[in-house]
C-alpha cells in the first residue's frame, strides 16, 4: 500500500447466529479480546506541523515516547536540516517503528 492509503473495509460483512436459548441470556464471562495495531499493514503516516509543535511532542503523540523524535527527524531529512526548526504547514512522514 502507498503511504496515503487507509485500510479498505468496504467489502467486510458480518453475520451473527446465536446458540443461546431464547429464554436464557448468553454468558460472555469467559470471552476475551485483543487488538493488534494495523500500522504495519497500513504503512507510514503523515502529520502536518502546527504552531507550537516539536519533534519530541509529535513522537510522544504517535509513539508514546518523546525520545523517539529522531526516527521522525531521520525519516524527514529531505526537508529537515535541524530538528529544532520545524515549521507549521510542513507535512512530516511518521515512520512505523520496529519494536
Amino acid at each position: 500500500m502507498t503511504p496515503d492509503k487507509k485500510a479498505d473495509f468496504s467489502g467486510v460483512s458480518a453475520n451473527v447466529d446465536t446458540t443461546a436459548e431464547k429464554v436464557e441470556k448468553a454468558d460472555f464471562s469467559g470471552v476475551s479480546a485483543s487488538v493488534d495495531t494495523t500500522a504495519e499493514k497500513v504503512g507510514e503516516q503523515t502529520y502536518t506541523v502546527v504552531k507550537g509543535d516539536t519533534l519530541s511532542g509529535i513522537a510522544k503523540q504517535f509513539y508514546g515516547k518523546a525520545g523517539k523524535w529522531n526516527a521522525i527527524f531521520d525519516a524527514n531529512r529531505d526537508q529537515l536540516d535541524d530538528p529544532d526548526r520545524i515549521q507549521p504547514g510542513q507535512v512530516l512522514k511518521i515512520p512505523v517503528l520496529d519494536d
Side-chain angles (χ1 to χ4, degrees), residues 4-69:
D4 296 338
K5 293 250 182 181
K6 301 285 185 202
D8 179 11
F9 296 103
S10 62
V12 174
S13 63
N15 184 17
V16 177
D17 292 327
T18 183
T19 58
E21 297 283 328
K22 295 201 183 253
V23 179
E24 295 179 27
K25 292 187 176 185
D27 178 12
F28 294 106
S29 62
V31 175
S32 64
S34 66
V35 177
D36 292 330
T37 182
T38 59
E40 295 172 339
K41 295 176 179 131
V42 174
E44 192 172 79
Q45 296 178 314
T46 60
Y47 176 78
T48 303
V49 176
V50 296
K51 185 177 180 178
D53 274 342
T54 62
L55 287 182
S56 60
I58 297 168
K60 185 166 177 83
Q61 178 181 337
F62 281 90
Y63 306 133
K65 296 180 182 178
K68 299 289 186 178
W69 66 267

Side-chain angles (χ1 to χ4, degrees), residues 63-77:
Y63 306 133
K65 296 180 182 178
K68 299 289 186 178
W69 66 267
N70 57 334
I72 299 170
F73 179 65
D74 289 340
N76 291 280
R77 289 282 189 152

